[in-house]
Amino acid sequence: VVPTSPPRRSPNILVTGTPGTGKTTTAEMIALAVGLEMVTVGDLIKERGLHDGYNEEFDTYWLNEDKVVDEMESMMAHGGMCIDFHTCGLFPERWFDLVVVLRAGTDKIYDRLEGRGYKPNKVQENVECEIMQVVLDEARESYKAEVIMELESNTVDDMEANVEKVAAFVNQFKKAHEQ
Ligand code: ADP
Ligand code: MN
């Protein structure tokens, strides 16, 4: 028998999706519910300078994928991580046991990003990104269908249901990978 599961007791989870879909909020709730360590990759990039400078036009940092992956490798090695980032193709496939792709209506994305004070061009770009399901397509290109969980995140009820679903996955994973 060829072992197919990575040798970790607790899963690594990626929560991805267009900005404004609710990644950070959902990932925090998941981490709290089942005792995973949460890392918001965008914050890590800023704190540790894992970028190639600032992009004025879009109020964002130029992503340096190699720096990000090198920095994160050791923290992903032992499992138990819940990672949140708006793009997913840069990470090694082997890192994740579950890839959650959050989806939201364009009206929700618009309101949430405008409420966060994003410039109109940045709001527009992200609304289009969600309409074109850019992140979902990227997830499908980068990870096996079996590990991808696409979830609606329009309402607080959605969010609670999503946290429950992921918590159930984590508990099942831990049971299956017990000694
Ligand atoms: P992201 O990290 O994907 O950019 P956030 O978690 O920061 O998204 O959420 C953006 C805003 O939308 C926050 O104010 C959050 O409370 C709200 N929000 C996120 N998901 C939902 C949801 N499913 N229902 C209602 N509000 C939500
Ligand atoms: Mn976020």
Side-chain angles (χ1 to χ4, degrees):
V1 179
V2 179
T4 51
S5 311
R8 37 186 179 244
R9 300 266 178 88
S10 181
N12 285 328
I13 296 175
L14 172 64
V15 180
T16 190
T18 306
T21 48
K23 298 179 299 295
T24 303
T25 316
T26 304
E28 272 170 4
M29 289 173 70
I30 292 166
L32 199 65
V34 287
L36 299 181
E37 188 180 332
M38 189 229 175
V39 173
T40 293
V41 177
D43 292 347
L44 191 80
I45 288 170
K46 266 183 262 171
E47 286 161 17
R48 302 194 185 175
L50 312 172
H51 54 75
D52 292 326
Y54 194 65
N55 175 352
E56 294 272 342
E57 190 189 351
F58 286 99
D59 278 325
T60 188
Y61 289 93
W62 294 107
L63 187 57
N64 183 315
E65 299 192 354
D66 291 339
K67 282 187 191 169
V68 174
V69 171
D70 286 352
E71 185 75 18
M72 290 177 64
E73 188 72 66
S74 64
M75 62 175 86
M76 302 306 293
H78 305 292
M81 301 299 294
C82 186
I83 297 302
D84 136 42
F85 201 41
H86 60 264
T87 177
C88 62
L90 71 160
F91 303 120
E93 188 181 0
R94 65 187 152 76
W95 276 5
F96 300 109
D97 303 293
L98 180 68
V99 174
V100 175
V101 182
L102 295 180
R103 304 298 310 275
T106 53
D107 53 328
K108 305 285 184 194
I109 302 281
Y110 189 93
D111 289 348
R112 292 171 191 172
L113 295 185
E114 209 182 36
R116 194 187 274 175
Y118 276 25
K119 285 195 219 165
N121 65 335
K122 201 175 173 186
V123 173
Q124 187 59 29
E125 198 211 32
N126 285 307
V127 165
E128 281 166 20
C129 171
E130 184 61 10
I131 292 170
M132 303 291 287
Q133 59 173 62
V134 172
V135 181
L136 181 64
D137 285 348
E138 190 184 8
R140 286 175 172 161
E141 279 164 25
S142 309
Y143 303 94
K144 290 198 185 80
E146 307 92 85
V147 307
I148 299 174
M149 197 187 264
E150 182 188 0
L151 298 171
E152 292 258 297
S153 178
N154 288 315
T155 65
V156 172
D157 282 354
D158 287 342
M159 190 161 9
E160 284 170 2
N162 294 342
V163 172
E164 264 179 45
K165 248 183 220 167
V166 176
F169 170 89
V170 173
N171 290 328
Q172 200 181 15
F173 184 101
K174 283 183 179 170
K175 217 167 203 176
H177 294 80
E178 262 167 8
Q179 189 52 331

